[in-house]
Amino acid sequence: MSARGLLKAAQKEFGLDDAAYRARLERETGKTSSKDMTYKEIQRCLESFKKDGFKPASKGARRALEGKYAPKLQALWIAGYNLGLIRNKQDWALLAFVKRQTGIDHVRFLHDARDAFRVIEALKGWLERSGGVDWRTDVAGEPYRSLPQYRIVLAQFGKIHGAQPDIQAALWRAFCTEIFTLTRTRTFDDLTDHDWLTVVNLFGKRIREKHHG
């Protein structure tokens, strides 16, 4: 991809409209269009985007993030995306969040459990406050009620229908019917990790369509 193409990719990733994009270019170079810039000026703009977390896609297969805590962080990040809280699900956006929370540039460097705990709790707190996810463990209830996937799907359903199915009996029946229909199962105990992921992704698509509808 050309340098100008990378600028456009950064604009798209950051969700900047034309006015905001041109204002940013002008702030860096005094020019509002990359067509009027020298190569060095374009690179200056790209470096500015990179400092804010933009990571141009590399050629070839995408490598998974590395590190002991990477899977947990990615799962929470995608959950936020499927709750309509996070606009960009790309890894570079997650890495930018991690850097803001810990000052660490890459998830693979999260060897310190205290740093990992801080980032994980920050994400969980965000999902709870803005996404309606209730992380409290239901000790007296069925085992599935303590699963993080169940907690996320419950919050998603609440966002879609404007009320929690745990509270209204009619919605609870609708919730169960929809889950079992989507996964072709009969009980929550029958759901596999793949089944939960299928539901989370489908509900996430509905939430995003509702927000942009």
Side-chain angles (χ1 to χ4, degrees), residues 13 17 23 39 54 76 86 150-151 167-168 179-180 207:
E13 292 288 0
D17 60 23
Y39 178 78
F54 174 61
L76 288 170
I86 296 168
Y150 170 80
R151 300 289 180 173
I167 299 173
Q168 298 185 20
I179 298 297
F180 300 152
I207 289 171

Side-chain angles (χ1 to χ4, degrees), residues 144 176 179-180 183-192 195-196:
Y144 70 83
C176 294
I179 298 297
F180 300 152
T183 59
R184 298 181 180 180
T185 55
R186 293 185 177 182
T187 71
F188 285 105
D189 291 329
D190 293 334
L191 269 68
T192 65
D195 291 330
W196 283 115

Side-chain angles (χ1 to χ4, degrees), residues 39-69:
Y39 178 78
K40 287 185 177 180
E41 288 172 333
I42 291 175
Q43 290 301 315
R44 189 188 310 163
C45 292
L46 282 174
E47 286 303 315
S48 172
F49 279 116
K50 288 177 182 178
K51 286 180 181 178
D52 287 341
F54 174 61
K55 292 185 180 296
S58 58
K59 295 181 180 179
R62 176 185 172 191
R63 294 180 60 188
L65 292 181
E66 300 171 359
K68 180 178 179 180
Y69 303 102

Side-chain angles (χ1 to χ4, degrees), residues 28 48 50 58 103 109 122 134 140-141 145 148 152 174 178 195 201 207:
E28 295 296 329
S48 172
K50 288 177 182 178
S58 58
F109 298 137
D134 185 353
R145 287 179 174 268
I152 291 165
E178 184 156 13
D195 291 330
N201 287 336
I207 289 171

Side-chain angles (χ1 to χ4, degrees), residues 145 154 157 163-178 188:
R145 287 179 174 268
L154 199 67
F157 193 86
Q164 287 290 346
D166 262 359
I167 299 173
Q168 298 185 20
L171 270 182
W172 173 252
R173 289 193 294 271
F175 175 72
C176 294
T177 298
E178 184 156 13
F188 285 105

Side-chain angles (χ1 to χ4, degrees), residues 95 98-100 102-107 109-112 115:
L95 297 179
V98 171
K99 185 173 182 179
R100 287 196 300 273
T102 67
I104 298 174
D105 284 320
H106 199 287
V107 176
F109 298 137
L110 277 173
H111 297 304
D112 189 320
D115 284 336

